[in-house]
Amino acid sequence: MLFDWAQQPFHTLVITFVFAPYFASAVAPDAARGQELWGLATGTGGLLIALTSPVLGAIADASGRRKPWILFFSVIGVLGCCALWFAVPGMENLWPVLIAIALAVFGMEFAAVFNNAMMPDLVPRSELGRLSGSAWGLGYVGGLVSLVLVLGFMAASPETGRTLIGSEPILGLDAATREGDRASGPLTALWYAVFVLPMFLFTPDQPRQRVVGAVREGLKRLGTTLRRLPSERSYFGFLLSSMFYRDALNALYAFGGIYAAGVLGWTIVQIGIFGILANVTGAIGAWLGGRVDQARGPKTVVSGSILILCASCLMVISTTREQVLFFAVGAGSSLPDILFFAAGALIGAAGGSIQAASRTLLVDQVPHGHVTEAFGLYALSGKATTFIGPLAVAAATAWFSAAAFSPEDAQRLGVTPILVLFVLGLALLPMVKAAKLPVNA
């Protein structure tokens, strides 16, 4: 469970609420261009995972142990996060930062593939939904604590030089050069390195199997699975469905803060408060989702969460400084801010529950000995469109900008592919069965 606590600040601080909007509003030339470049960087990291995760997952199943893989990719993710410190405002050459973002995504999310595969060996199947939900909820609490730390003591407004609680940044961080926002990368790396240690020290791993021939055996098993996969309607349907709805959710997380900064004109502090709310509801949603998963099954949780996320996405797209749900509001109205906060609360709750339930729904689809391979294919199915999703947002934003839309409208309309992906995921979900396999299957 502490792995989720260790990793969640990467998604909270870097991907969603602090570094991403900082990059779009202060590092990139403008918010629309920042959204486009962010999509390019995160999409590239996702593409790397899509190309390699099924093969490495199959090899890990054949060789047994998962912790060495987690350690290897953790090092890559930590180094990528540390390098984000060098993303100074207005820098001309953005390529080093974009490469660091891609490596951070690649390392951190790949480590999660192998961590997820360890779960079915730790508890009986009847307890897996509650474990996954509780772990994801604990992760949201970790994200919340790290976000409060950054907003309350590190990230300061460049205009006032004060943090959210009205104090000067700790450690002499300079508000003018946005060192508090940039420090979210190194803090994420340090947080992860410290709190992932209990997993390495105390969580049992699978015993080492024969290493000689593991690569050949893993590739052979993967080939057999891929040839058989289209005939396994439920497993194949789940991978397709989750490919779309997880990509939509990841894109919503990645661009939510950027959207709020560009369209609503929110400051980093306002976005941070939004993030605090989303993390609180995310922890509650994941914990409750785990209980519903145990009582009603993971498919019920996934279906309900997608419906909530579709409604939330419509709320986001229809909100600007002048509009709420596509209806005009008076100048200076607080209704857009209120609606966006409400959407964030729903996204947090539904996002936490759907991701936790998806892990248990996947385990229901495969034999016990193929779990890591399955999570590799799960990563592939998600990353196959996770790189398409951000790139689609980037392309849509660029197209609307080229079509002479205002930067605000181009950014707002550029996120519409997210809603389409949610609808596709929901449409494919009836193919999936939530049959519970025997514990020793």
Side-chain angles (χ1 to χ4, degrees):
M1 289 173 64
L2 279 173
F3 179 90
D4 283 356
W5 167 280
Q7 194 194 49
Q8 182 60 35
F10 170 71
H11 300 283
T12 301
L13 300 180
V14 175
I15 297 298
T16 308
F17 296 115
V18 178
F19 189 84
Y22 159 70
F23 174 84
S25 63
V27 181
D30 56 68
R33 177 65 172 160
Q35 178 168 289
E36 182 181 346
L37 290 173
W38 188 262
L40 174 65
T42 56
T44 300
L47 177 60
L48 293 174
I49 297 173
L51 295 175
T52 55
S53 59
V55 174
L56 296 183
I59 293 172
D61 276 331
S63 60
R65 299 179 67 192
R66 279 87 177 222
K67 285 185 182 179
W69 298 92
I70 298 175
L71 176 61
F72 174 75
F73 289 108
S74 294
V75 171
I76 295 175
V78 165
L79 292 177
C81 288
C82 288
L84 299 181
W85 168 258
F86 300 102
V88 298
M91 62 188 300
E92 294 184 3
N93 183 11
L94 298 178
W95 282 107
V97 178
L98 297 178
I99 292 172
I101 294 168
L103 288 177
V105 170
F106 176 71
M108 289 294 191
E109 296 203 11
F110 228 138
V113 170
F114 295 96
N115 173 77
N116 292 341
M118 294 176 67
M119 291 197 309
D121 297 318
L122 304 177
V123 294
R125 172 60 188 87
S126 60
E127 298 292 326
L128 187 59
R130 188 166 65 175
L131 170 64
S132 183
S134 298
W136 211 284
L138 182 63
Y140 270 106
V141 175
L144 172 63
V145 173
S146 65
L147 186 58
V148 170
L149 176 61
V150 169
L151 295 179
F153 302 97
M154 300 174 67
S157 167
E159 289 80 20
T160 65
R162 299 289 177 175
T163 67
L164 180 61
I165 63 174
S167 66
E168 293 185 356
I170 61 174
L171 305 176
L173 295 171
D174 183 18
T177 56
R178 308 291 290 272
E179 288 185 345
D181 301 304
R182 291 155 50 195
S184 60
L187 175 64
T188 295
L190 178 62
W191 181 288
Y192 180 87
V194 170
F195 290 113
V196 80
L197 287 177
M199 186 277 296
F200 282 114
L201 295 175
F202 304 118
T203 302
D205 199 356
Q206 287 286 89
R208 182 189 298 273
Q209 301 177 19
R210 61 184 180 88
V211 178
V212 178
V215 173
R216 183 174 64 248
E217 176 65 20
L219 293 175
K220 180 181 177 181
R221 291 172 58 173
L222 176 61
T224 301
T225 298
L226 291 176
R227 286 190 298 270
R228 191 180 66 244
L229 187 59
S231 63
E232 298 187 8
R233 188 172 182 270
S234 180
Y235 185 17
F236 189 53
F238 171 75
L239 291 177
L240 287 176
S241 175
S242 66
M243 176 176 71
F244 291 116
Y245 71 70
R246 286 186 297 127
D247 181 31
L249 183 60
N250 290 333
L252 193 57
Y253 285 156
F255 293 105
I258 294 174
Y259 183 96
V263 175
L264 297 181
W266 279 11
T267 65
I268 294 296
V269 171
Q270 287 176 301
I271 295 170
I273 296 173
F274 175 83
I276 290 172
L277 175 63
N279 274 269
V280 169
T281 59
I284 296 171
W287 184 83
L288 289 176
R291 270 58 187 171
V292 176
D293 183 338
Q294 189 174 21
R296 303 292 298 275
K299 186 176 177 181
T300 300
V301 179
V302 172
S303 301
S305 298
I306 292 178
L307 291 173
I308 295 173
L309 289 166
C310 284
S312 303
C313 195
L314 278 173
M315 293 167 65
V316 168
I317 294 172
S318 64
T319 302
T320 68
R321 282 261 65 99
E322 295 79 29
Q323 291 183 338
V324 168
L325 299 178
F326 298 112
F327 291 99
V329 295
S333 173
S334 61
L335 284 177
D337 301 309
I338 294 172
L339 188 70
F340 207 80
F341 276 121
L346 291 174
I347 291 169
S353 60
I354 196 173
Q355 292 179 98
S358 293
R359 296 196 291 197
T360 57
L361 188 56
L362 173 62
V363 172
D364 282 344
Q365 312 300 317
V366 296
H368 188 82
H370 291 257
V371 170
T372 314
E373 175 192 277
F375 274 106
L377 288 173
Y378 181 63
L380 169 62
S381 69
K383 298 309 172 186
T385 57
T386 290
F387 79 84
I388 293 174
L391 295 180
V393 172
T397 304
W399 187 89
F400 284 113
S401 296
F405 283 78
S406 69
E408 177 186 287
D409 285 338
Q411 189 174 0
R412 178 167 65 94
L413 296 173
V415 301
T416 51
I418 296 175
L419 181 60
V420 176
L421 291 171
F422 275 130
V423 173
L424 288 173
L426 185 63
L428 290 167
L429 201 57
M431 296 174 58
V432 183
K433 295 181 180 180
K436 296 182 178 180
L437 295 176
V439 174
N440 296 320

